[in-house]
Amino acid sequence: MSLTLLDWRRQVHRLYAEVRACADPADGHARWRAGRDRLFTEHPDSPLPPEERPGFRGLPVAPYDPALRFDVALDTSPPGLTWSTETDGDGVVPFTRIGVAHLPGLGELDVWWLESYGGGVFVPVRDPAPDTYGGGRYLLDTVKGADLGGDAANGRLVLDLNFAYNPSCAYSPAWTCPLAPAGNTLDVPLPGGERYAPLPSR
């Protein structure tokens, strides 16, 4: 394992800290887009295969829509569920549901706690839009830095669906990723966030 992956994680943490510090979420979104494009283009741990990087011109991301930003209080009344997924590098990764986020006009998303070393909140999202990754995208993955804020001490999270992004396995079979379970599937197409446009070589 190379220390370059540590550098990737540090840069992602720093990028999301900058996003949370922006007074205007749209400005934070623009900063996030530029930061992800830079990492994908320049970083040695980019999920893009090396042969695809020279022709890379940026990730396809929908324009920012303020209606897709939610500051929600988690509904913790449903009984906690558990879920696990097997990965190549980390073995079986277990999750426990810590609440449900109700998103008016869109549906509900389960909010999970990663029970492995480090812990963290994990919120994937899958939707039927034809230009999104079939395995689902990630909205929060706080152990890896993807944290949009909210008053966590009082049970609130910011779920801004404009920041939904494709997991690394969407770009290369070298990666394995937890995919969105049933409780993280929306019935309506989600117009915001990173889109999925496979390159011709795939």
Side-chain angles (χ1 to χ4, degrees):
M1 180 65 68
S2 169
L3 282 178
T4 57
L5 183 57
L6 172 62
D7 180 70
W8 171 280
R9 296 276 176 85
R10 285 175 173 173
Q11 292 201 43
V12 171
H13 277 266
R14 186 161 55 245
L15 176 60
Y16 276 86
E18 292 172 357
V19 167
R20 293 192 300 273
C22 286
D24 182 350
D27 290 343
H29 188 253
R31 184 181 294 267
W32 175 77
R33 290 188 62 178
R36 276 182 62 76
D37 282 347
R38 177 180 50 77
L39 284 168
F40 269 64
T41 303
E42 302 173 0
H43 202 279
D45 282 282
S46 167
L48 284 179
E51 65 274 13
E52 294 183 358
R53 294 175 197 172
F56 177 70
R57 295 295 179 267
L59 296 163
V61 179
Y64 190 82
D65 181 355
L68 296 177
R69 186 181 190 274
F70 301 89
D71 184 338
V72 299
L74 292 192
D75 179 359
T76 58
S77 60
L81 298 177
T82 59
W83 164 62
S84 63
T85 186
E86 188 164 353
T87 66
D88 288 343
D90 299 319
V92 176
V93 179
F95 298 90
T96 298
R97 188 175 67 182
I98 58 173
V100 176
H102 302 281
L103 309 180
L106 292 176
E108 299 179 345
L109 293 177
D110 288 339
V111 177
W112 302 93
W113 183 262
L114 171 65
E115 297 288 359
S116 298
Y117 180 80
V121 172
F122 180 59
V123 182
V125 57
R126 189 195 310 247
D127 73 286
D131 61 341
T132 56
Y133 181 58
R137 293 174 286 171
Y138 292 175
L139 184 56
L140 302 182
D141 190 4
T142 64
V143 74
K144 294 182 179 176
D147 181 356
L148 296 170
D151 186 1
N154 288 302
R156 302 190 69 89
L157 289 173
V158 171
L159 299 181
D160 190 333
L161 297 165
N162 293 285
F163 290 83
Y165 65 94
N166 296 325
S168 296
C169 56
Y171 297 103
S172 171
W175 298 82
T176 58
C177 311
L179 302 181
N184 291 82
T185 301
L186 300 177
D187 293 331
V188 298
L190 176 58
E194 190 175 309
R195 319 315 287 172
Y196 183 61
L199 295 176
S201 60
R202 294 203 191 109

